[in-house]
Amino acid sequence: MQMLTLSANHFLDHFILNAELATHARISGNTYRYWKNGIAAKFEGSRTVFLRKDTIPPKHANAQAHCTPLDGLVLSQAFCAFTGLASSHLTQSNGSKLYEKLRVVTLMGVKFVDLKGFYDILGLAYHYNIYIEKCHFFAPSPFERKIKLTDTLCVGYY
């Protein structure tokens, strides 16, 4: 079994949530560790494990078919680390205007953000690094590229 560490902006397109597969297959959450050619991944600083779809043993194919696709998603903590955003903006009850612009998905108690969809809303290519902060901290337009998200928050990109 091989364990990968994913960068904070790595989309989970070819992965499924280990906890969900374990639930559907009725196996232990640690079973993946004993698969000969399995590939698992985690985001840095996270305990949540993802399994690469094409390396899951064929006997679990039926359980894998019931798993939720994670295309375009990243862990919410990885999204916050990548953009510099406080995690409080990803809680609906806090009334953040940014929450309305993001697609936040909770699956088996794990919170995800649709980073690919966010890039699409902004009209940016996926290779850009982005950061979110208050608009008044940005330099004037020719010096720093930004997109206004809310009355107070902007996205910078490079």
Side-chain angles (χ1 to χ4, degrees):
M1 198 278 310
Q2 181 182 10
M3 179 62 81
L4 306 174
T5 300
L6 303 174
S7 62
N9 62 340
H10 191 278
F11 303 134
L12 293 169
D13 291 352
H14 304 290
F15 292 90
I16 59 172
L17 185 62
N18 176 50
E20 187 178 23
L21 178 73
T23 300
H24 290 304
R26 294 189 178 116
I27 57 175
S28 167
N30 291 323
T31 302
Y32 72 93
R33 294 179 183 196
Y34 304 103
W35 293 341
K36 184 177 180 182
N37 297 318
I39 297 177
K42 293 180 182 181
F43 284 100
E44 191 169 342
S46 174
R47 294 176 33 193
T48 306
V49 176
F50 302 96
L51 303 173
R52 179 110 180 232
K53 292 177 186 178
D54 58 350
T55 65
I56 295 172
K59 69 179 180 180
H60 299 300
N62 189 33
Q64 181 181 346
H66 290 88
C67 291
T68 307
L70 303 176
D71 297 345
L73 301 179
V74 296
L75 264 180
S76 63
Q77 80 180 56
F79 179 81
C80 291
F82 180 59
T83 61
L85 185 70
S87 60
S88 61
H89 288 281
L90 301 180
T91 305
Q92 185 177 13
S93 62
N94 284 349
S96 173
K97 298 287 183 191
L98 182 60
Y99 185 86
E100 299 166 5
K101 300 197 181 283
L102 298 171
R103 185 172 81 94
V104 179
V105 178
T106 303
L107 176 63
M108 306 227 27
V110 180
K111 191 181 285 190
F112 297 92
V113 176
D114 186 359
L115 181 58
K116 190 179 275 187
F118 189 57
Y119 272 110
D120 292 342
I121 288 169
L122 297 173
L124 296 175
Y126 302 134
H127 69 274
Y128 278 111
N129 288 319
I130 60 175
Y131 54 98
I132 301 172
E133 60 184 52
K134 295 198 182 252
C135 294
H136 69 270
F137 289 126
F138 281 85
S141 286
F143 300 112
E144 203 166 15
R145 296 188 284 187
K146 67 180 178 184
I147 299 171
K148 191 167 188 164
L149 288 174
T150 67
D151 294 337
T152 58
L153 293 175
C154 289
V155 171
Y157 60 96
Y158 57 94

